[in-house]
Amino acid sequence: MASILDEYEDSLYRSASVQQSRASVGIPHSGYVNARLEKETPIFNKQRIDFAPPEKINSLVVSSNQLCMSLGKDTLLRIDLGKPDEPNQVELGRKDEAKVYKMFLDHTGSHLLIALNTSECLYLNRSVQKVRALSRWKGHLIESVGWNKFLGSETNTGPILVGTAQGQIYEAEISVSEGSLFSTNPDQYFRQVYTLEEESGPAPVCCLEIERGIEGKFFIIATTRKRLFQFVGKVPEGTEQQGFSSIFAMHADHLPSFREFPANLGFSEIAFYTPKLRSNPRSFAWMMGNGVLYGTLDYSRPDSILSDERVWVYPSDIDITVNKPISIVLTQFHFLLLLPDRIKAVCTLNGQVVFQDLFQEKFGLLTRMIKDPTVQQIWIHTEKVVFRYHVQRESRDVWKMYMNMNKFDLAKEYCKDRPECLDIVLAKEAEHCFQNKRYLDSAKCYALTQNYFEEIALKFIEAKQEEALMEFLIKKLSNLKPSEKTQTTLLTTWLTELYLNWLGILEGDPSQRNLYLDTREKFRTFLSSPKNKDCLFNNRASIYELLASHGDTEHMVYFAVIMQDYERVVAHHCQHDEYDEALNVLSRHRDEKLFYKFSPVLIQHIPKKVVDAWISMGSRLDARNLIPALVNYSQSASTQQINEAIRYMEFCVYQLEETQQAIHNYLLSLYALCRPDSLLSYLEQAGTNPNRIHYDLKYALRLCAEHGHHHACVHIYKVMELYEEAVDLALQVDVDLAKSCADLPEDDEELRKKLWLKIARHVVQEEKDVKKAMACLSSCALLKIEDVLPFFPDFVTIDHFKEAICNSLEDYNKHIEELKREMEEATQSAKRIREDIQEMRNKYGSVEPQEKCAACDFPLLNRPFYLFLCGHMFHYDCLLQAVFPNLPAYKQAKLEDLQKKLAATSQPSKSHHRPKDADTISLGKGQQSREQIKADIDDIVAAECVYCGELMIRSIDKPFIEPQKYEEEMQSWL
């Protein structure tokens, strides 16, 4: 451990030097290079639309990628931004001096309302070209429209709300009939539902917004120049189409809740931010005289949807008496204010201006700013030019603001994909927690940063926060890569030391018992962590030294179990006389080598349990390796304890069917020592076949002889086929045992007779029992009375042998008579054979002239032939051709040799000058030799009919076509 701490101190010194050198060259502590390769694009990227209007632009609205623009006095231009090259122009058809006051486009981009300064209102649907006047709306100057986003469609607006300059709120519905362009009146109804007032009386309805909350609750927001009203109420399910009059009726007798501010712009405007893929806005910004009221929308609140409200005052360069803001647009983190010559973007988190864009005078004064909520694009126009802003990566710097506000969770959320920023946030959070003495939280954050490890560790050490230091080291360890083995080893060893110190302190304080148990559990979790397993295993010697230096044997055993160092665990239990625990460890982990090593110790103290454990291991243990333990144990143990050794050996022999000679020899030695009765039964069960006996016969014989087990020695002699020795030893024990041994050599009558003579001599000379000697004669047929007589003394009278002698003579007479009968039978058999031979010589068969060969089907009498008793007839050459392929190889060779000899005897003599007598003699010899050769050929070829004999039966499994000729035969058929 001392070497590890020295190494750690050296690493601290080296790290401090590196830190100083890094600081001198300006390397940031975070470890990240905070450099930008190119200029980053602004959040709000302006683009001028390539469009030159023929007349001045009066008004512009955008929604769902549909843009509508009022030009001059009587022209309306509609553009589908998905197809910008196909604009659609519609004429309003007004002959009077009416001008477009405001335009309103619903969320689908289908319904367009055109308010005229003559208190009239026109309607245009996206699918038609003709503008229709809304007669019921006449006489009202429209200031605002609240669209129904829940029931509206492309042909029907559903119930909507309309705000006028006189403060009235009307409910209306516009529908396009499917049968014709319009029904009689596109406006289905137009009825007043409420009037908004300020302290001086009715005030223009600047803005209207309809939102639906949970459980059928609707929220209606309406603004005047100084007030923001909220109408809250439920619309019964299924009656939404009937409108919102019931909600306003609830506030007929009292004012709804509202916010009021003293300053006045002469108008107000409210903007909402709706995230993508959501139907309800999440935040709002209301532009009024005192600034911008910003907040979030909480639909779960019962009476007010507005939440987290705060007022951001206008920037210092905005004077509402000189250059008051014209429009407002809200994005996720900013609201944009439109001024006559510029726009300003203010962050909703801190109220700071983060973007400003000044427009050139040549474009004219800015008139209006609007946002398309579906594509999050911002549009600005003057009377001459149209601009579009794209919002790009708006949240790029939000993390800084949240970090400065100490909202670290939100800061981390917005920089999770930027590790260099996340590191800064984590470092700031860690420092914040440290300053507020939240040391554990600080340690967790520091562990995730790239700050210098040594600085942080020393910081916690100086603050005497060991628990936080441990937390920091644990987190740092979990973040290390597998390749960082040196760092892993250092942290693992250091943590072990800290845990042991902390446990030592807590263990001595009874009041900290719960904390001690909790820390112990954490330490054990640390030791058993799969991630630390390799490091702990590779450095287990150091860990053992640490545990030993602290005297923590409990965790030493626990660590050894985790490392699967069961040898150390068992040795520990044995050293402390915990033999049952040691055996439990062995039985649980079933390691054969450990059984072999510790069995000699354990069997001295708990023999029965050890043998039970051996038996439970079954064939996994090699009993030969346990014999030394048993031998050492049995030499100093009592008979009762030796019985445990016998029990295991019997299990190996009878249950596991072990065949190892050492095991059987040891069991024999135990039987010979303590269980003589079991010895003989074991030997008999092993059998008498030497090839199937697994013990050493010579060792067994010597062992039994040493202990005086004669019956066992006799049995072993019998197995060794030493019958004379078996009989000699058996005669010392029991004559009947000797008799059973004497009958064993069944194939050697001479030896059997010799053995029986030994028994007879013993009976006569040793026991002097004549009757028993006579009984031996009856037990063995090989013994005769004359064989036994020499053993008797001379003074014995014949009376004792009279019966035996008579029986012997009778046996001789019977044997003579039997020989005579056999001779007569042999004579008669020879006579019959001679008669059969003579009969065969005279036997013949007749062959008709028309008979044909059974093989070639040609006339039989044309060539030499054979006639068989079965009636089949063959030419000589045909039979030879059929028989030859089926003959054995040696007969084929013999047949070819005989044919060559026969051909040689058929050649005429080359000598023409021999004497007559000599020729006669030679011819006689030649004819005699030729007949003998032909007879030998007949014995081979005509031994049996080729169709009826065994030859045909043996050829039943032969193919019709030989394998070597199969290919040739197949080709012949093609």
Side-chain angles (χ1 to χ4, degrees):
M1 179 61 194
S3 60
I4 295 175
L5 292 178
D6 293 341
E7 179 183 348
Y8 174 66
E9 291 176 358
D10 293 341
S11 68
L12 286 180
Y13 176 76
R14 290 195 300 271
S15 300
S17 302
V18 172
Q19 178 182 352
Q20 184 176 3
S21 61
R22 286 180 175 175
S24 63
V25 296
I27 296 178
H29 285 210
S30 64
Y32 294 102
V33 179
N34 191 14
R36 297 183 179 180
L37 299 179
E38 59 183 19
K39 187 176 180 180
E40 195 173 58
T41 57
I43 295 175
F44 303 99
N45 188 20
K46 182 173 67 175
Q47 175 189 7
R48 179 181 175 183
I49 304 301
D50 186 13
F51 171 70
E55 300 179 77
K56 70 176 184 178
I57 303 173
N58 298 321
S59 182
L60 183 145
V61 288
V62 182
S63 183
S64 295
N65 238 12
Q66 302 295 319
L67 184 144
C68 298
M69 189 186 306
S70 172
L71 301 176
K73 177 183 176 182
D74 197 48
T75 304
L76 188 66
L77 187 64
R78 296 188 294 184
I79 301 175
D80 184 348
L81 296 177
K83 303 174 183 177
D85 298 333
E86 301 176 8
N88 175 252
Q89 185 171 320
V90 178
E91 299 297 329
L92 297 182
R94 302 290 297 190
K95 303 300 181 182
D96 53 11
E97 296 299 322
K99 296 180 181 179
V100 175
Y101 175 64
K102 284 185 178 181
M103 292 197 304
F104 308 93
L105 186 62
D106 79 320
H107 62 286
T108 66
S110 301
H111 305 283
L112 177 64
L113 293 174
I114 307 164
L116 304 179
N117 59 358
T118 57
S119 298
E120 295 179 82
C121 192
L122 307 178
Y123 171 75
L124 179 63
N125 189 275
R126 184 169 65 181
S127 61
V128 300
Q129 285 289 107
K130 187 176 181 180
V131 178
R132 295 290 294 179
L134 301 178
S135 58
R136 290 188 175 89
W137 296 39
K138 191 172 184 179
H140 302 283
L141 183 62
I142 307 303
E143 287 285 347
S144 58
V145 175
W147 296 103
N148 193 327
K149 294 178 286 187
F150 316 104
L151 296 178
S153 65
E154 293 184 359
T155 59
N156 189 285
T157 62
I160 62 175
L161 297 177
V162 180
T164 68
Q166 293 78 30
Q168 295 94 2
I169 297 178
Y170 288 86
E171 185 180 80
E173 183 176 359
I174 302 174
S175 177
V176 179
S177 67
E178 298 180 0
S180 60
L181 292 178
F182 291 102
S183 61
T184 306
N185 289 309
D187 48 337
Q188 302 297 309
Y189 62 89
F190 189 77
R191 56 175 176 259
Q192 183 177 352
V193 293
Y194 202 79
T195 300
L196 295 183
E197 295 183 354
E198 293 180 351
E199 68 277 0
S200 59
V205 182
C206 298
C207 299
L208 282 170
E209 181 73 17
I210 304 171
E211 295 297 337
R212 182 170 61 184
I214 58 177
E215 298 179 353
K217 186 180 292 186
F218 280 84
F219 298 88
I220 299 172
I221 298 176
T223 67
T224 61
R225 293 165 297 189
K226 299 166 59 176
R227 291 183 177 181
L228 186 150
F229 294 88
Q230 291 185 78
F231 298 88
V232 183
K234 285 188 177 181
V235 175
E237 186 176 356
T239 63
E240 292 89 347
Q241 197 66 40
Q242 297 179 8
F244 308 103
S245 57
S246 60
I247 298 177
F248 289 100
M250 296 169 59
H251 302 279
D253 299 331
H254 61 278
L255 284 175
S257 61
F258 63 88
R259 305 283 189 275
E260 184 174 14
F261 295 90
N264 184 359
L265 291 175
F267 66 94
S268 71
E269 185 173 345
I270 191 168
F272 296 89
Y273 168 70
T274 304
K276 291 181 179 180
L277 305 178
R278 290 189 56 177
S279 59
N280 292 333
R282 194 174 69 180
S283 56
F284 74 98
W286 180 39
M287 184 182 71
M288 40 76 181
N290 291 84
V292 176
L293 176 66
Y294 173 80
T296 59
L297 301 178
D298 185 356
Y299 297 92
S300 63
R301 299 181 64 183
D303 300 324
S304 174
I305 193 175
L306 308 182
S307 178
D308 300 330
E309 303 169 51
R310 65 179 304 175
V311 176
W312 294 115
V313 298
Y314 294 118
S316 58
D317 59 345
I318 296 180
D319 185 356
I320 63 173
T321 60
V322 180
N323 59 340
K324 58 187 176 183
I326 302 169
S327 292
I328 187 171
V329 162
L330 181 62
T331 62
Q332 185 177 6
F333 296 106
H334 303 86
F335 59 82
L336 281 72
L337 297 173
L338 180 69
L339 301 171
D341 60 346
R342 71 193 67 191
I343 65 167
K344 288 180 178 289
V346 180
C347 180
T348 58
L349 299 177
N350 56 16
Q352 300 297 316
V353 176
V354 297
F355 175 78
Q356 179 172 282
D357 195 1
L358 183 65
F359 288 77
Q360 300 177 13
E361 293 182 1
K362 65 179 182 179
F363 298 135
L365 297 176
L366 302 178
T367 306
R368 178 75 172 161
M369 177 172 62
I370 192 168
K371 184 180 77 169
D372 186 346
T374 57
V375 294
Q376 303 295 324
Q377 292 179 349
I378 300 170
W379 296 79
I380 297 176
H381 73 91
T382 67
E383 292 182 350
K384 303 176 183 180
V385 186
V386 178
F387 297 93
R388 178 170 57 189
Y389 280 89
H390 293 275
V391 183
Q392 297 181 338
R393 295 178 56 235
E394 184 182 2
S395 61
R396 67 182 72 170
D397 294 325
V398 169
W399 64 272
K400 292 181 183 177
M401 301 172 191
Y402 279 129
M403 181 182 69
N404 294 330
M405 298 164 62
N406 293 334
K407 295 183 178 180
F408 299 109
D409 290 338
L410 291 172
K412 288 183 284 189
E413 180 68 23
Y414 285 100
C415 63
K416 58 185 178 182
D417 298 328
R418 301 169 66 184
E420 71 281 0
C421 302
L422 181 61
D423 189 72
I424 296 173
V425 174
L426 288 170
K428 182 71 179 292
E429 182 182 8
E431 186 63 29
H432 175 77
C433 294
F434 193 91
Q435 295 297 332
N436 288 276
K437 297 185 178 181
R438 293 163 47 202
Y439 297 110
L440 286 177
D441 293 335
S442 176
K444 293 176 182 178
C445 293
Y446 269 132
L448 299 175
T449 67
Q450 298 296 320
N451 288 24
Y452 292 127
F453 170 82
E454 299 83 359
E455 283 184 358
I456 301 169
L458 291 173
K459 194 170 187 176
F460 286 115
I461 292 173
E462 291 171 358
K464 298 182 179 179
Q465 294 295 323
E466 287 193 5
E467 189 175 1
L469 176 61
M470 290 167 60
E471 185 67 27
F472 169 69
L473 296 178
I474 290 171
K475 294 295 182 183
K476 204 69 178 177
L477 178 62
S478 64
N479 294 330
L480 289 178
K481 299 176 182 178
S483 59
E484 298 174 319
K485 295 183 179 180
T486 303
Q487 295 89 328
T488 302
T489 301
L490 177 63
L491 291 181
T492 302
T493 311
W494 193 3
L495 275 169
T496 303
E497 175 70 19
L498 291 174
Y499 268 120
L500 292 173
N501 287 336
W502 187 238
L503 287 172
I505 295 172
L506 295 176
E507 189 175 15
D509 188 353
S511 63
Q512 300 289 335
R513 181 62 179 172
N514 293 334
L515 181 58
Y516 167 77
L517 295 176
D518 184 57
T519 306
R520 185 183 68 175
E521 188 62 30
K522 289 181 180 179
F523 181 44
R524 291 185 174 184
T525 303
F526 167 75
L527 292 177
S528 59
S529 172
K531 187 172 183 180
N532 303 332
K533 183 176 181 181
D534 291 340
C535 178
L536 290 170
F537 182 80
N538 294 330
N539 298 277
R540 58 188 182 279
S542 300
I543 302 299
Y544 282 131
E545 289 179 7
L546 281 175
L547 293 167
S549 66
H550 285 267
D552 196 341
T553 56
E554 179 184 2
H555 284 106
M556 181 181 292
V557 173
Y558 181 83
F559 180 69
V561 172
I562 293 173
M563 294 292 102
Q564 297 183 356
D565 189 0
Y566 302 117
E567 181 178 353
R568 187 182 294 268
V569 177
V570 176
H572 170 80
H573 288 310
C574 291
Q575 290 171 3
H576 293 79
D577 298 335
E578 298 171 352
Y579 302 110
D580 287 333
E581 290 296 327
L583 184 60
N584 289 337
V585 174
L586 291 176
S587 302
R588 187 163 54 249
H589 300 287
R590 305 174 73 83
D591 189 331
E592 299 88 347
K593 294 180 180 179
L594 294 182
F595 267 104
Y596 300 147
K597 182 172 182 178
F598 291 100
S599 289
V601 176
L602 295 176
I603 200 169
Q604 298 290 337
H605 301 88
I606 46 173
K608 185 178 185 307
K609 292 182 179 180
V610 171
V611 171
D612 290 340
W614 289 351
I615 292 174
S616 67
M617 287 289 288
S619 59
R620 294 185 60 178
L621 290 179
D622 188 348
R624 291 178 301 174
N625 296 329
L626 297 173
I627 289 177
L630 291 172
V631 170
N632 184 39
Y633 169 65
S634 60
Q635 289 176 350
S636 60
S638 63
T639 302
Q640 184 177 1
Q641 292 171 323
I642 292 177
N643 288 336
E644 294 299 327
I646 295 176
R647 181 162 69 96
Y648 180 66
M649 289 292 104
E650 287 179 340
F651 169 77
C652 294
V653 171
Y654 298 122
Q655 300 296 324
L656 300 182
E657 299 180 355
E658 285 284 354
T659 60
Q660 296 294 332
Q661 192 176 75
I663 297 173
H664 287 262
N665 287 346
Y666 183 59
L667 179 59
L668 265 174
S669 67
L670 294 176
Y671 279 151
L673 183 64
C674 297
R675 292 188 187 177
D677 297 338
S678 300
L679 174 63
L680 186 59
S681 62
Y682 165 77
L683 294 174
E684 291 175 348
Q685 188 173 352
T688 58
N689 187 347
N691 297 324
R692 296 184 179 180
I693 287 177
H694 305 301
Y695 57 85
D696 187 342
L697 289 168
K698 295 180 180 179
Y699 171 76
L701 182 61
R702 183 173 69 252
L703 191 68
C704 295
E706 288 177 356
H707 290 85
H709 303 311
H710 297 306
H711 277 83
C713 289
V714 171
H715 178 82
I716 296 171
Y717 277 134
K718 290 192 294 183
V719 175
M720 299 173 70
E721 297 182 355
L722 300 175
Y723 301 116
E724 292 189 41
E725 290 81 353
V727 170
D728 290 341
L729 184 60
L731 289 174
Q732 300 177 20
V733 180
D734 184 11
V735 174
D736 291 336
L737 180 60
K739 289 180 180 179
S740 65
C741 295
D743 283 333
L744 290 177
E746 297 177 354
D747 299 332
D748 192 347
E749 292 185 356
E750 183 179 352
L751 178 59
R752 286 174 57 198
K753 184 175 181 180
K754 182 178 180 181
L755 297 177
W756 277 102
L757 286 174
K758 283 190 175 188
I759 296 172
R761 178 184 295 162
H762 174 79
V763 170
V764 173
Q765 295 179 353
E766 300 296 332
E767 297 185 6
K768 304 183 185 312
D769 190 340
V770 177
K771 292 184 178 179
K772 188 177 290 187
M774 294 301 101
C776 290
L777 292 177
S778 61
S779 300
C780 179
L782 299 177
L783 290 184
K784 304 298 180 183
I785 185 62
E786 58 269 25
D787 298 326
V788 181
L789 286 175
F791 301 148
F792 289 94
D794 296 337
F795 56 84
V796 177
T797 62
I798 197 171
D799 295 338
H800 295 91
F801 314 114
K802 182 178 180 180
E803 184 178 355
I805 292 172
C806 292
N807 291 337
S808 179
L809 292 174
E810 289 179 0
D811 290 339
Y812 281 128
N813 288 333
K814 290 180 182 178
H815 184 60
I816 293 170
E817 293 296 327
E818 186 176 352
L819 290 176
K820 288 181 179 180
R821 186 172 59 256
E822 291 178 355
M823 291 175 63
E824 290 178 358
E825 289 177 355
T827 302
Q828 293 296 326
S829 178
K831 183 179 179 181
R832 285 195 297 271
I833 290 172
R834 284 194 297 271
E835 291 175 354
D836 290 341
I837 292 173
Q838 187 63 35
E839 185 180 354
M840 287 297 296
R841 288 177 178 174
N842 300 327
K843 195 170 184 177
Y844 66 93
S846 61
V847 178
E848 299 295 331
Q850 65 274 16
E851 292 290 347
K852 295 182 179 180
C853 174
C856 66
D857 205 29
F858 280 94
L860 184 68
L861 299 179
N862 290 351
R863 300 195 299 274
F865 63 91
Y866 289 97
L867 171 64
F868 291 95
L869 294 177
C870 61
H872 288 114
M873 293 169 280
F874 300 91
H875 289 132
Y876 166 74
D877 53 343
C878 293
L879 181 62
L880 180 63
Q881 186 178 0
V883 170
F884 186 81
N886 297 292
L887 290 175
Y890 75 93
K891 284 191 176 183
Q892 290 180 354
K894 183 177 180 181
L895 183 59
E896 289 177 349
D897 184 58
L898 290 173
Q899 286 178 328
K900 290 179 181 178
K901 289 180 179 180
L902 183 63
T905 58
S906 300
Q907 293 179 358
S909 176
K910 294 182 180 180
S911 176
H912 300 284
H913 304 285
R914 291 180 183 177
K916 183 177 180 181
D917 294 341
D919 291 344
T920 304
I921 295 171
S922 177
L923 180 61
K925 291 181 179 180
Q927 288 176 348
Q928 184 180 7
S929 177
R930 181 180 177 84
E931 290 175 0
Q932 183 62 42
I933 292 171
K934 290 177 67 176
D936 291 342
I937 292 175
D938 289 344
D939 289 341
I940 296 175
V941 176
E944 59 181 357
C945 176
V946 71
Y947 286 172
C948 302
E950 293 183 4
L951 186 64
M952 181 59 68
I953 297 173
R954 288 197 302 270
S955 65
I956 193 170
D957 60 342
K958 292 186 177 181
F960 290 108
I961 302 173
E962 296 295 332
Q964 57 271 23
K965 297 182 180 180
Y966 181 79
E967 190 68 27
E968 179 183 352
E969 184 69 21
M970 187 176 66
Q971 293 295 331
S972 68
W973 282 80
L974 296 178

